[in-house]
Amino acid sequence: MASKKPPRLRKRRSRSTIQLGTLAPHPELAKKHEEAALLLKNIKEQLPELEKLLATADDHWGIEDGVYRFYHQSFKVYSLQPITVEITKALQKLLPRHQLNDWFTQIVVAGTREKFTPEHNRNWTKHTRPIVEAFFHAHFMLKMVCKYGRQLSEPPQMLPSGWAAVLYLFNLR
């Protein structure tokens, strides 16, 4: 009984693999990549100040005390607002001609516009959750900017999630 040989499978490259090597990048993608390179350059230039700001946000009187004050129902949770605004300004300074992501901006505005009044105690979370949320988003973006400012030498082709989030912040993704 003769054994049948299994059919030989040919390895084929997909059309997209072949095309990627031969086609010029779309002009819009090339522009975004150029802007991402400028963003990374600006991050690296401003990294010492950004890391100092991150250290302030991470210290006891930043995230630790601010989140505690939310749960303690203390008006001191409102002290997260100035650091949130400062972080947002530092981020905007990285690409001043680019508008920050609309969702990020809405979150920051909602979390930094109110001033404490005693009536807020009656509906505490309605008034203070936006403050904590805005701080968390600003803190996260600052942390990612610092992380990838240290790690990357150029914008990567395969995007780590944190760097992709930073690109979304500047509407480059």
Side-chain angles (χ1 to χ4, degrees), residues 46-57:
Q46 297 175 41
L47 196 54
E49 296 87 14
L50 294 167
E51 287 184 322
K52 186 176 176 184
L53 182 56
L54 179 59
T56 299

Side-chain angles (χ1 to χ4, degrees), residues 7 18 21 33 37 62 65 71-72 97 99 103 108 118 129 134 141 157 164:
I18 295 166
H33 184 76
D65 192 67
Y71 287 102
H72 189 59
R97 292 177 293 136
Q99 199 173 13
W103 292 347
V108 168
R129 277 180 57 196
M141 289 299 183
Q157 295 298 319

